[in-house]
Amino acid sequence: MSFTKLFVPYLAVLGVGACTGGDHTGSVTSNLIEDQHDSMQNDRLFKNPGGFAASASTEGFVDLDNAFFTPQGTNGRHCGTCHAPEDGWGINPGTVTDLFHITDGLHPIFVNNRDTDTPTCDMSTLEARLACTTMLRQGKFTRLINMPATATREYDMTAFTDPFGVTILNTRFWFFRRVMPTATFKTAVTNWDNSNGLNNNVHDGLRNQARGNISGAQQGPTLALDHPILHEIADYQLTLGHAQLVVPGVGRLDDDGAAGGPLNAVNQPLVNAPFDLYDAWETSDNPRRRQIFRGQVLFNTKTRPNGGGACRGCHNAANHGGNVANTMFNVGASDAQWAKPDMATFTLVSRLDGSTVVTTDPGRAVRSGRMADMNRFDTPTLRGLAARAPYFHNGIAADLPAVISFYEQSLGFDFTDEEAEDLAAFLNAL
């Protein structure tokens, strides 16, 4: 089947909730897909910069009318407000910006002061809402976190720079993070810093995450952990897979012996093994397919000249990309050298040895208080990467080539131009 013929049945739906930013002249005329439909078929395509991604459920279709998409609080938000199928079950800057312009900043995602630049922003007028949501329109959400208890904390904050003036010295942090995808869950780390992880169990962590979201972002009640609503939300998430399904010039990623696509992703067991999605394409007649295979080999085997491991060393869950042992890593993304003008920096001094760390986000250490956890973050699934730029917890990499360049600078990888292109092609095919 030709590439054109493959896409024709889907062209009519790509404008429905497929908000990709840019022009606001009428190309987006409605809210997200869950606001218009109660369900969607498995493998429904949504356009992204690398082709087309899709979601699939082990139930045979993707339900869009359940507790996940139902406001449980008082402000109109629900889990799907910030975790949209169109954006790989996260939400991207273009989508947020489109929602702002469609609704004059009155969509529930812009609920007064939940995720504004400061907790006291004036949201009473369109102009004020525009001025108060500069970070949210980058697809970043607020984190106002009190420092861990003094008696157990291993560091002190001795200085900070906060462009929004919300941080309090040695008392609380104020920074912004990208959302994490809520599909293709395998590992038990929940949220970037595992703040909602529970019992080293995926289902328990998802229930705890939903509980915190309902009482916090949705401004609802604090539910008991065994509440049926929380079970429904967690059960639903565990049925979902999301992945790239079609790439221009390549075709379907589950074709000709390959095992890409969302249904394969959700059915993939959690095992420590190399990626083998595209082994069948090693000798393909299509050079783009061979390139994806070469990128997979690089991901699995290319080590750093400085003695470090391969990409798979951290992303060791086969055909998923999480970490089987739930290990969190410091890859340098919080280092002050990557800070943008609208990002805070915090100077933290160790009580153990007097060493100093300047960071834009302490990661797990913001919860545990331990220096060993400083700047450590979850190793999230890599499936569906193309749908959810920008990358890392703070969005410092605009696209997949920028991710590769970051790892070269931060961790010492050394890719030739051809290798970098091959690796990007593989990551785009996940």
Side-chain angles (χ1 to χ4, degrees), residues 113-161:
N113 303 131
R114 287 306 310 175
D115 287 289
T116 48
D117 290 349
T118 72
T120 56
C121 263
D122 171 19
M123 294 283 282
S124 61
T125 67
L126 173 61
E127 292 75 16
R129 290 190 291 275
L130 189 67
C132 280
T133 56
T134 65
M135 300 302 284
L136 184 55
R137 285 182 284 113
Q138 294 180 39
K140 298 180 185 179
F141 292 77
T142 60
R143 293 295 181 267
L144 179 61
I145 303 176
N146 290 329
M147 295 180 69
T150 303
T152 58
R153 194 175 67 240
E154 296 177 353
Y155 60 84
D156 291 304
M157 183 198 303
T158 60
F160 67 87
T161 62

Coordinates of all heavy atoms in Angstrom, one line a residue, residues 113-161:
N113 N -4.2 30.4 38.9 CA -3.1 30.2 39.9 C -2.7 28.8 40.1 O -1.8 28.5 40.9 CB -3.5 30.9 41.2 CG -3.8 32.3 41.1 OD1 -4.8 32.8 41.6 ND2 -2.9 33.1 40.4
R114 N -3.3 27.8 39.4 CA -2.8 26.4 39.6 C -1.5 26.2 39.0 O -0.6 25.6 39.5 CB -3.8 25.4 38.9 CG -5.1 25.2 39.7 CD -4.9 24.9 41.2 NE -4.0 23.7 41.3 CZ -3.5 23.3 42.5 NH1 -3.9 23.9 43.6 NH2 -2.7 22.3 42.6
D115 N -1.3 26.8 37.8 CA 0.0 26.6 37.1 C 0.5 27.9 36.4 O 1.1 27.9 35.4 CB -0.1 25.5 36.1 CG -0.1 24.1 36.7 OD1 0.9 23.7 37.3 OD2 -1.2 23.5 36.8
T116 N 0.2 29.0 37.1 CA 0.6 30.3 36.5 C 2.0 30.6 36.9 O 2.6 29.9 37.8 CB -0.3 31.4 37.1 OG1 -0.5 31.3 38.5 CG2 -1.7 31.4 36.4
D117 N 2.6 31.6 36.3 CA 4.0 31.9 36.6 C 4.3 32.2 38.0 O 5.4 31.9 38.5 CB 4.5 33.1 35.7 CG 4.5 32.8 34.2 OD1 4.4 31.6 33.9 OD2 4.7 33.7 33.4
T118 N 3.4 32.8 38.7 CA 3.5 33.0 40.2 C 2.1 32.6 40.8 O 1.1 32.7 40.1 CB 3.8 34.4 40.6 OG1 2.7 35.3 40.3 CG2 5.0 34.9 39.8
P119 N 2.1 32.2 42.1 CA 0.9 31.8 42.7 C -0.1 32.9 42.9 O -1.3 32.7 43.3 CB 1.3 31.2 44.0 CG 2.8 30.9 43.9 CD 3.3 31.9 42.9
T120 N 0.3 34.2 42.7 CA -0.6 35.3 42.9 C -0.8 36.1 41.6 O -1.2 37.3 41.6 CB 0.0 36.3 43.9 OG1 1.3 36.7 43.5 CG2 0.1 35.6 45.3
C121 N -0.7 35.5 40.4 CA -0.9 36.1 39.2 C -2.3 36.6 39.0 O -3.3 36.0 39.5 CB -0.6 35.2 38.0 SG 1.1 35.4 37.3
D122 N -2.5 37.8 38.4 CA -3.8 38.3 38.1 C -4.3 37.6 36.8 O -3.7 37.8 35.8 CB -3.7 39.8 37.9 CG -5.0 40.4 37.4 OD1 -6.0 39.8 37.5 OD2 -4.9 41.5 36.8
M123 N -5.4 36.9 36.9 CA -5.9 36.2 35.7 C -7.3 36.8 35.3 O -8.1 36.1 34.7 CB -6.0 34.7 36.1 CG -4.7 34.0 36.3 SD -3.8 33.6 34.8 CE -4.7 32.2 34.2
S124 N -7.5 38.0 35.6 CA -8.9 38.6 35.5 C -9.1 39.0 34.0 O -10.3 39.2 33.7 CB -9.1 39.8 36.4 OG -8.1 40.8 36.2
T125 N -8.1 39.3 33.2 CA -8.3 39.7 31.9 C -7.5 38.9 30.9 O -6.6 38.2 31.3 CB -7.9 41.2 31.7 OG1 -6.5 41.3 31.8 CG2 -8.6 42.1 32.7
L126 N -7.9 39.0 29.6 CA -7.1 38.2 28.6 C -5.6 38.6 28.6 O -4.8 37.7 28.6 CB -7.7 38.4 27.2 CG -7.0 37.8 26.0 CD1 -6.9 36.3 26.2 CD2 -7.6 38.3 24.7
E127 N -5.4 39.9 28.7 CA -4.0 40.3 28.7 C -3.2 39.8 29.9 O -2.1 39.4 29.9 CB -3.9 41.8 28.7 CG -4.4 42.5 27.3 CD -5.9 42.4 27.2 OE1 -6.6 42.2 28.2 OE2 -6.4 42.6 26.0
A128 N -3.9 39.8 31.1 CA -3.3 39.3 32.3 C -3.0 37.8 32.2 O -1.9 37.4 32.6 CB -4.1 39.7 33.5
R129 N -4.0 37.1 31.7 CA -3.8 35.7 31.6 C -2.6 35.3 30.6 O -1.9 34.4 30.9 CB -5.1 35.0 31.1 CG -6.2 35.0 32.1 CD -7.4 34.1 31.7 NE -8.1 34.7 30.6 CZ -9.1 35.6 30.7 NH1 -9.4 36.1 31.9 NH2 -9.8 36.0 29.6
L130 N -2.5 36.1 29.6 CA -1.4 35.9 28.6 C -0.1 36.1 29.3 O 0.9 35.4 29.2 CB -1.5 36.8 27.4 CG -0.6 36.6 26.3 CD1 -0.8 35.2 25.6 CD2 -0.7 37.7 25.2
A131 N 0.0 37.2 30.2 CA 1.3 37.5 30.9 C 1.6 36.5 32.0 O 2.8 36.3 32.3 CB 1.2 38.9 31.4
C132 N 0.6 35.9 32.5 CA 0.8 35.0 33.6 C 1.0 33.5 33.3 O 1.2 32.7 34.2 CB -0.5 35.0 34.5 SG -0.6 36.4 35.6
T133 N 1.0 33.2 32.0 CA 1.1 31.8 31.6 C 2.2 31.5 30.6 O 2.1 30.6 29.8 CB -0.3 31.3 31.0 OG1 -0.6 32.1 29.8 CG2 -1.4 31.3 32.0
T134 N 3.3 32.3 30.8 CA 4.4 32.1 29.9 C 5.0 30.7 30.0 O 5.5 30.1 29.0 CB 5.5 33.2 30.1 OG1 6.1 33.0 31.4 CG2 4.9 34.6 30.0
M135 N 5.1 30.1 31.2 CA 5.7 28.8 31.4 C 4.7 27.7 31.0 O 5.1 26.7 30.4 CB 6.2 28.7 32.8 CG 7.2 29.7 33.3 SD 8.7 29.7 32.3 CE 9.5 28.3 32.9
L136 N 3.5 27.9 31.3 CA 2.5 26.9 31.0 C 2.4 26.7 29.5 O 2.2 25.6 28.9 CB 1.1 27.2 31.6 CG 0.0 26.2 31.4 CD1 0.4 24.8 31.9 CD2 -1.3 26.7 32.1
R137 N 2.5 27.8 28.8 CA 2.5 27.8 27.3 C 3.7 27.2 26.7 O 3.8 27.0 25.5 CB 2.1 29.2 26.7 CG 0.6 29.5 26.9 CD 0.2 30.8 26.3 NE 0.6 31.9 27.2 CZ 1.5 32.8 26.8 NH1 2.1 32.7 25.7 NH2 1.8 33.8 27.7
Q138 N 4.7 26.9 27.5 CA 5.9 26.1 27.1 C 5.7 24.6 27.5 O 6.6 23.8 27.3 CB 7.1 26.6 27.9 CG 7.6 28.0 27.5 CD 8.9 28.4 28.2 OE1 9.8 27.5 28.4 NE2 9.0 29.6 28.6
G139 N 4.5 24.3 27.9 CA 4.2 22.9 28.3 C 4.8 22.6 29.7 O 5.0 21.4 29.9
K140 N 5.1 23.5 30.5 CA 5.7 23.3 31.8 C 4.7 23.6 32.9 O 4.0 24.6 32.9 CB 7.0 24.1 32.0 CG 8.0 23.8 31.0 CD 9.3 24.7 31.3 CE 10.3 24.5 30.2 NZ 11.5 25.3 30.5
F141 N 4.7 22.8 34.0 CA 3.8 23.0 35.1 C 4.5 23.3 36.4 O 5.7 22.8 36.6 CB 2.9 21.7 35.2 CG 2.0 21.5 34.1 CD1 2.4 21.0 32.9 CD2 0.6 21.8 34.2 CE1 1.6 20.8 31.8 CE2 -0.2 21.6 33.1 CZ 0.2 21.1 31.9
T142 N 3.9 24.0 37.3 CA 4.6 24.5 38.4 C 4.9 23.4 39.5 O 4.1 22.4 39.6 CB 3.7 25.6 39.1 OG1 2.4 25.0 39.5 CG2 3.5 26.8 38.3
R143 N 5.9 23.6 40.2 CA 6.3 22.8 41.3 C 6.7 23.8 42.5 O 7.8 24.3 42.4 CB 7.4 21.8 41.0 CG 7.0 20.7 40.0 CD 5.9 19.8 40.6 NE 5.5 18.8 39.7 CZ 4.5 18.9 38.8 NH1 3.8 20.0 38.7 NH2 4.2 17.9 38.0
L144 N 5.8 23.9 43.4 CA 6.1 24.7 44.6 C 6.3 23.7 45.8 O 5.4 23.1 46.2 CB 5.0 25.7 45.0 CG 5.1 26.6 46.2 CD1 6.3 27.5 46.1 CD2 3.8 27.4 46.5
I145 N 7.6 23.5 46.1 CA 7.9 22.4 47.0 C 8.7 22.9 48.2 O 9.7 23.5 48.1 CB 8.7 21.3 46.3 CG1 7.9 20.8 45.1 CG2 9.1 20.2 47.2 CD1 8.7 19.8 44.2
N146 N 8.2 22.6 49.4 CA 8.9 23.0 50.6 C 10.1 22.0 50.7 O 10.0 20.9 50.4 CB 8.0 22.9 51.8 CG 7.0 23.9 51.9 OD1 7.2 25.1 51.4 ND2 5.8 23.6 52.4
M147 N 11.2 22.6 51.2 CA 12.4 21.8 51.4 C 12.1 20.7 52.4 O 11.3 20.8 53.4 CB 13.6 22.6 51.9 CG 14.0 23.6 50.8 SD 15.4 24.7 51.3 CE 16.7 23.5 51.3
P148 N 12.8 19.5 52.3 CA 12.6 18.4 53.3 C 12.9 18.9 54.7 O 13.6 19.9 54.9 CB 13.6 17.4 52.8 CG 13.7 17.6 51.4 CD 13.7 19.1 51.2
A149 N 12.5 18.2 55.7 CA 12.7 18.6 57.1 C 14.1 18.8 57.4 O 15.0 18.0 57.0 CB 12.1 17.5 58.0
T150 N 14.4 19.9 58.2 CA 15.7 20.3 58.5 C 16.5 19.1 59.2 O 17.7 18.9 58.9 CB 15.7 21.5 59.4 OG1 15.0 22.5 58.7 CG2 17.1 22.0 59.7
A151 N 15.9 18.4 60.0 CA 16.6 17.4 60.8 C 17.2 16.3 60.0 O 18.2 15.7 60.3 CB 15.7 16.8 61.9
T152 N 16.5 16.0 58.8 CA 17.0 14.9 58.0 C 17.6 15.3 56.7 O 18.2 14.5 56.0 CB 15.8 13.9 57.7 OG1 14.8 14.7 57.0 CG2 15.2 13.3 59.0
R153 N 17.5 16.6 56.4 CA 18.0 17.0 55.1 C 19.6 17.1 55.1 O 20.1 17.5 56.1 CB 17.5 18.4 54.8 CG 17.6 18.9 53.4 CD 16.9 20.2 53.1 NE 17.5 21.3 53.9 CZ 16.9 22.1 54.8 NH1 15.7 21.8 55.1 NH2 17.6 23.1 55.4
E154 N 20.2 16.7 54.0 CA 21.6 16.7 53.9 C 22.2 17.9 53.2 O 23.4 18.0 52.9 CB 22.1 15.4 53.2 CG 21.8 14.2 54.0 CD 22.1 12.9 53.2 OE1 22.6 13.0 52.1 OE2 22.0 11.8 53.8
Y155 N 21.4 18.9 52.9 CA 21.9 20.1 52.2 C 21.1 21.3 52.7 O 20.0 21.2 53.2 CB 21.8 19.9 50.7 CG 20.4 19.7 50.2 CD1 19.5 20.8 50.0 CD2 19.9 18.4 50.0 CE1 18.2 20.6 49.6 CE2 18.6 18.2 49.5 CZ 17.8 19.3 49.3 OH 16.5 19.0 48.9
D156 N 21.7 22.5 52.4 CA 21.1 23.8 52.7 C 21.1 24.6 51.4 O 22.0 24.5 50.6 CB 21.8 24.5 53.8 CG 21.6 23.9 55.2 OD1 20.4 23.7 55.6 OD2 22.6 23.6 55.8
M157 N 20.1 25.4 51.2 CA 20.1 26.4 50.1 C 20.7 27.7 50.6 O 20.2 28.3 51.5 CB 18.6 26.6 49.7 CG 18.5 27.6 48.4 SD 16.8 28.3 48.2 CE 15.8 26.8 48.1
T158 N 21.8 28.0 50.0 CA 22.5 29.2 50.4 C 22.3 30.4 49.5 O 22.6 31.6 49.9 CB 24.0 28.9 50.5 OG1 24.5 28.5 49.2 CG2 24.3 27.8 51.6
A159 N 21.8 30.2 48.3 CA 21.5 31.3 47.4 C 20.6 30.7 46.3 O 20.5 29.5 46.1 CB 22.8 31.8 46.8
F160 N 20.0 31.7 45.6 CA 19.1 31.3 44.5 C 18.9 32.5 43.6 O 19.1 33.6 44.0 CB 17.8 30.8 44.9 CG 16.9 31.8 45.6 CD1 16.0 32.6 44.8 CD2 16.9 32.0 47.0 CE1 15.2 33.5 45.4 CE2 16.1 32.9 47.6 CZ 15.2 33.7 46.8
T161 N 18.6 32.2 42.3 CA 18.1 33.2 41.4 C 16.7 32.7 40.9 O 16.6 31.6 40.3 CB 19.0 33.4 40.2 OG1 19.2 32.2 39.5 CG2 20.4 33.8 40.7

